[in-house]
């Protein structure tokens, strides 16, 4: 009887071990993905590159007018001004990003940001517009004076000058699947999402998020943990029609904010300058 009891216990132990082994085999890829998410989102520095394409049908009238003016000054199609690239980093609660527009060489502007403040290189933005406009319209180009103000201005002041909500055009909060939670929390979240393998054999998760058909690819490039997120608005509801973002962990960086920031008097003068630019567009540009 004792021998039979021992055999039953042994069989139970073997079954339990087999079940645990099966669970480990099944959950190990999820655990790796959860650990990668945790490492990236809790890194001392997060490097990122984001491509966004705006949906013109979801822009306000003021936003459309601003992009129409920019496209005219840059001598590009308006559709060109709907696609943007933003790349930079966030470290220690502060960050830096460079912004470029599809079809144009170099950066249009750069920004420094923290939770409380964002400042924009308006000098670079103006000189990019001036250079492209003068190249396309040599005669009219002399109407745009050279820059004589400080380099940077706050995002709130930019929105005041242009009378348009710029923040909402490029604001893209990440889905909860990319939370900075614990490895266990991430594992529980990922278990409930459709999973498959990418072409390069990394873990890939697909879900609907805020009307976006979203694909999250998790893995390593060499020794660097990386997340790739791709989303398309399948319901035509969002201001951002589609996006893709690379996010990876990096070494801690020190962000030094520039000293050259506009005061209120310079802001008033720049408002007058932008009024001049709009006047040139209204006089010589096509009606938008």
């Amino acid at each position: 009887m004792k021998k039979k009891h021992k055999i039953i216990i042994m069989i139970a132990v073997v079954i339990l071990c087999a079940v645990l082994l099966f669970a480990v085999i099944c959950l190990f890829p999820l655990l790796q993905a959860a650990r990668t998410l945790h490492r990236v989102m809790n890194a001392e520095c997060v490097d990122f590159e984001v491509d966004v394409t705006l949906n013109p049908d979801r822009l306000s009238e003021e936003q459309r007018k601003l992009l129409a003016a920019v496209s005219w000054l840059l001598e590009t199609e308006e559709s060109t001004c709907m696609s943007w690239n933003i790349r930079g980093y966030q470290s220690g609660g502060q960050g830096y990003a460079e912004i470029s527009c599809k079809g144009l060489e170099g950066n249009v502007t750069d920004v420094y940001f923290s939770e409380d403040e964002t400042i924009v290189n308006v000098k670079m933005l103006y000189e990019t517009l001036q250079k492209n406009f003068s190249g396309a319209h040599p005669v009219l180009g002399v109407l745009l004076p050279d820059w004589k103000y400080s380099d940077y201005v706050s995002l709130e002041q930019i929105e005041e000058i242009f009378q348009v909500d710029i923040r909402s055009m490029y604001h893209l909060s990440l889905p909860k699947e990319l939370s900075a939670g614990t490895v266990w929390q991430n594992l529980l979240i990922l278990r409930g999402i459709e999973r498959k393998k990418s072409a390069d054999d990394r873990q890939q998760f697909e879900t609907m998020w805020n009307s976006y058909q979203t694909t999250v690819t998790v893995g390593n490039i060499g020794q660097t943990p990386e997340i790739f997120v791709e989303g398309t608005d399948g319901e035509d509801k969002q201001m951002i029609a589609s996006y893709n973002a690379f996010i990876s962990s990096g070494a801690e960086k020190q962000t030094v904010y520039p000293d050259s920031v506009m005061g209120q008097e310079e802001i008033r003068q720049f408002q007058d300058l932008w009024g001049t630019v709009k006047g040139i567009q209204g006089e010589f540009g096509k009606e938008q």
Side-chain angles (χ1 to χ4, degrees):
M1 190 70 180
K2 287 184 178 181
K3 185 176 181 181
K4 184 176 181 181
H5 184 65
K6 287 181 179 179
I7 293 174
I8 293 173
I9 293 176
M10 187 179 299
I11 293 173
V13 170
V14 170
I15 293 174
L16 178 60
C17 289
V19 170
L20 289 175
L21 179 62
F22 179 75
V24 168
I25 292 173
C26 290
L27 289 178
F28 184 68
L30 285 176
L31 180 60
Q32 284 184 310
R35 289 181 62 191
T36 299
L37 282 174
H38 182 74
R39 288 179 62 188
V40 172
M41 302 312 292
N42 289 276
E44 292 181 341
C45 177
V46 175
D47 297 315
F48 60 84
E49 181 169 358
V50 183
D51 292 304
V52 298
T53 300
L54 301 175
N55 181 352
D57 295 333
R58 295 300 173 188
L59 299 178
S60 69
E61 182 179 355
E62 291 77 13
Q63 290 167 339
R64 286 196 299 269
K65 285 181 178 179
L66 173 63
L67 291 178
V70 170
S71 69
W72 181 71
L73 288 167
L74 293 176
E75 192 68 8
T76 65
E77 296 294 329
E78 286 187 35
S79 58
T80 295
C81 290
M82 296 295 164
S83 298
W84 296 80
N85 175 271
I86 306 162
R87 59 191 179 278
Y89 68 86
Q90 181 171 341
S91 180
Q94 298 179 325
Y96 171 78
E98 297 172 338
I99 301 175
S100 58
C101 180
K102 177 183 175 182
L104 295 178
E105 293 185 5
N107 299 321
V108 173
T109 188
D110 60 24
V111 301
Y112 290 83
F113 61 90
S114 66
E115 185 177 343
D116 302 320
E117 181 184 29
T118 299
I119 58 173
V120 182
N121 191 336
V122 71
K123 176 184 178 181
M124 184 189 296
L125 176 61
Y126 178 81
E127 289 183 341
T128 299
L129 296 175
Q130 182 190 43
K131 177 182 176 181
N132 282 271
F133 181 73
S134 298
H137 308 282
V139 177
L140 295 179
V142 299
L143 299 176
L144 296 183
D146 291 336
W147 188 258
K148 57 181 181 180
Y149 314 105
S150 299
D151 295 355
Y152 287 83
V153 65
S154 74
L155 180 60
E156 290 77 14
Q157 289 166 334
I158 282 280
E159 292 179 326
E160 179 183 345
I161 291 168
F162 293 148
Q163 291 295 296
V164 65
D165 179 7
I166 296 175
R167 189 187 304 270
S168 66
M169 295 168 67
Y170 302 98
H171 175 71
L172 184 66
S173 59
L174 293 174
K176 67 179 182 179
E177 285 77 13
L178 297 184
S179 68
T182 66
V183 173
W184 177 247
Q185 288 171 330
N186 289 339
L187 179 63
L188 292 178
I189 290 171
L190 293 177
R191 282 188 67 242
I193 301 175
E194 181 181 349
R195 177 165 59 100
K196 60 182 183 179
K197 285 288 188 72
S198 66
D200 55 1
D201 207 37
R202 290 189 289 173
Q203 296 295 311
Q204 201 167 63
F205 304 88
E206 292 187 349
T207 185
M208 283 297 297
W209 164 69
N210 205 20
S211 86
Y212 288 101
Q213 180 62 48
T214 304
T215 302
V216 181
T217 303
V218 182
N220 284 26
I221 298 297
Q223 298 299 314
T224 304
E226 182 185 77
I227 304 168
F228 176 59
V229 188
E230 186 175 15
T232 302
D233 178 18
E235 300 178 15
D236 196 31
K237 289 182 176 180
Q238 305 295 336
M239 193 174 294
I240 295 177
S242 63
Y243 67 89
N244 58 68
F246 285 101
I247 309 167
S248 62
S249 60
E252 184 177 5
K253 297 181 176 69
Q254 294 296 322
T255 304
V256 180
Y257 271 58
D259 295 328
S260 183
V261 180
M262 279 193 194
Q264 193 58 42
E265 177 58 26
E266 286 185 304
I267 291 170
R268 186 193 61 77
Q269 294 173 11
F270 183 62
Q271 282 179 311
D272 294 339
L273 175 59
W274 180 246
T276 300
V277 173
K278 289 292 292 179
I280 294 172
Q281 183 203 10
E283 185 69 23
F284 299 100
K286 63 182 180 179
E287 292 297 326
Q288 304 295 337

